[in-house]
Amino acid sequence: MLSELRPQVLSILNTNAEVSVRLQEICNLLQENISYYDWVGFYFKNGNKEELKLGPYAGEPTDHTIIPFGKGICGQVALSNENFVVPDVQAQDNYIACSINVKAEIVVPLFVNGENIGQIDIDSNTPDPFNSEDEDFLEFVNKEVAKIL
């Protein structure tokens, strides 16, 4: 299923639309086509500050528009530069709840020229839905997104 979306991701990113519009379309595509991707969004490093700022997203509105480095799953990925798959958010001490419905989360860092400049964040209302195929797919998405940033 995920591999079938790769050509659509490339098609969206290869248009001449504004970057923010293309990122929004990626969020919409993933959220609408992957049943367990209930919230899909991009966070980006906020200038020189040690924090992330919410970019385009699809799903329920969130109050978490700014996330300090080290706080929550996203903030931890900003420091670790590594994928973080959380099968059960309740089992995480350093978790920022966006919705009581969220059961699992996956965050994959976004690198431009070797620098972690942001990430894609997926929340799922399904317990433990993510696997290595999700990680591979989201790494692919971020590699392609990096080319337009």
Side-chain angles (χ1 to χ4, degrees), residues 73-90:
I73 308 307
C74 291
Q76 290 175 71
V77 169
L79 295 176
S80 74
N81 299 324
E82 294 176 6
N83 298 353
F84 200 155
V85 180
V86 183
D88 176 8
V89 296
Q90 299 299 317

